[in-house]
Amino acid sequence: MQMNTKIIDMDENSIDINKMKSAADIIKKGGLVAFPTETVYGLGANALDEDAVKKIFLAKGRPQDNPLIVHVADFNIENFVEEVPDIARTLMNKFWPGPLTIILKKSKLIPDTTSAGLDSVGIRMPKNKIALNLIKLSGCPIAAPSANISGRPSPTVISRCIEDLDGKVDCIIGGDKSNVGVESTVIDCTADIPCVLRPGGVTLEMLQEVNKDIYIDPAVMGKSIGNIKPKAPGMKYKHYAPKAQVRIIMGQTEKTVEKINKMVQNYRGVKVGVMCTDETKEMYNCDEIISLGSRKDLASVAQNLFEVLRSFDDIGVDIVLSEAFEERGIGIAIMNRLKKSAAFDIIKI
Ligand code: TXA
Ligand code: MG
C-alpha cells in the first residue's frame, strides 16, 4: 500500500518542537517515523505496541525472526527488563547516550513481536538530539531497525531513507549525515561475561577497559565456524549489500593495488568499480574509483562506507573491488560490514 510520506527537515542544533510534536503524534498513533541517529538512520514505531511494530517488518521486508532494538531517552529502563546487572549499568553510564545496544532479559511489557520471540531485548540510548526528542515527546520507547529495505546498506543520510521508504512510512525526519556510519555495537549482558554480538561504534578495546574479559562472539567475523550460529539473529542474513557484487582483496598495499588493477583489466563486458583509500586512489586504472577516506582516519572510513556502497549502485557498477582494513578498533566493525556486503568473497594475496 502506497502512502503519503511526510518529509521533515530538521537541524539537530535548533530543533523545531512543533514539527517534532507532529512526528511524535504519529508514533503515539501507531505509525512509522524514520529518524536520524548518530550511527545510521532508524525506522521507528512504539516498541510497546505490537501492531505498530508489525508495520516496521512489513515496510522493510524484514524477516520476522530478527529482533528490533528498543531506543530509550532515559536511564530508567527497569520496566522493560527483568533486571539490570551491575556490568550493564556500568556500560550504560559509560557509553550512553551512544552507539551501544545492551541485551538484557526482557520484561512482559516488551511484546514478542519486538523481541522476535526471544526472551531478551536490546536497549540503546542514541546520541542524536532529534532521536532523543522524538522518544521523549512520544512518551514511549521506540523500536527501530536501520531505515533501509532489508538487506541493503543502512542509510546514513536522509536521501537514502527517502529512496528506500518513501510511500511506505508515515514520516521521515532528516538531520545531518550520521556521525558513526555503522550501526551500534550489540553486547549481550544476559550471561556473566558480556559478549559482543555485533561490532560497532563502541570498540572492543573501549569495552575491555571496563571489563577485560569482554569478548566478541566467535561466529561474528567468519562466514560460519563449524556449526556455531551467531547469537544476534540479524547477523546471519545477507546484509549491507549493494546491487553490485562486492569482492575484497586483502594483502599488503602495493600487492593489493597490483592485484586489483590486474582484475580490472581481466573483466570483460561488466562495469567494475574500485573502493579504495585516499592513500591509493591515484594508483588505479579504472573508470569508477571511490575513496572511503584516509587509512589514518578509520572513523571517517566507517562514516562513508554505506554511502559509498550505495553510490556504486547509482553509477550502475556490476562489480566492486575493495581494499581491506586492519581488524582493530573501529576497523573490526568496518570489516564485519564489508565482509557481509561481499558475502565473504575475500581474495587473500
Ligand atoms: O545503530 C543501530 O543499532 C541502529 C540505529 C537505528 O539505532 N539500529 C539497528 O537495528 O542497526 P537493526 O535492526 O538493523 O539491527 C539490530 C541487530 C540485529 O542484528 C539483531 O539481530 C540484533 O541487533 N538484536 C536485537 N535484539 C536482539 C536480542 N534480543 N538478542 C540478540 N540480538 C539482538
Ligand atoms: Mg539493519
Side-chain angles (χ1 to χ4, degrees), residues 60 62 146 148 154 183 239:
K60 277 185 58 107
R62 182 180 177 99
S146 46
N148 51 283
S154 304
E183 302 84 349
H239 244 115

Side-chain angles (χ1 to χ4, degrees), residues 3 25 58 66 75-76 98 136 139 155 174 177 215 232 267 283 286 288 291 297 314 327 334 337 342:
M3 53 171 117
D25 276 342
L58 276 177
N66 194 2
F75 282 85
N76 298 318
K136 280 187 195 141
K177 185 174 172 186
Y215 64 105
Y267 278 111
M283 301 178 189
C286 182
E288 306 300 346
S291 169
D297 181 11
D314 297 341
E327 285 172 280
I334 295 171
R337 307 307 192 272

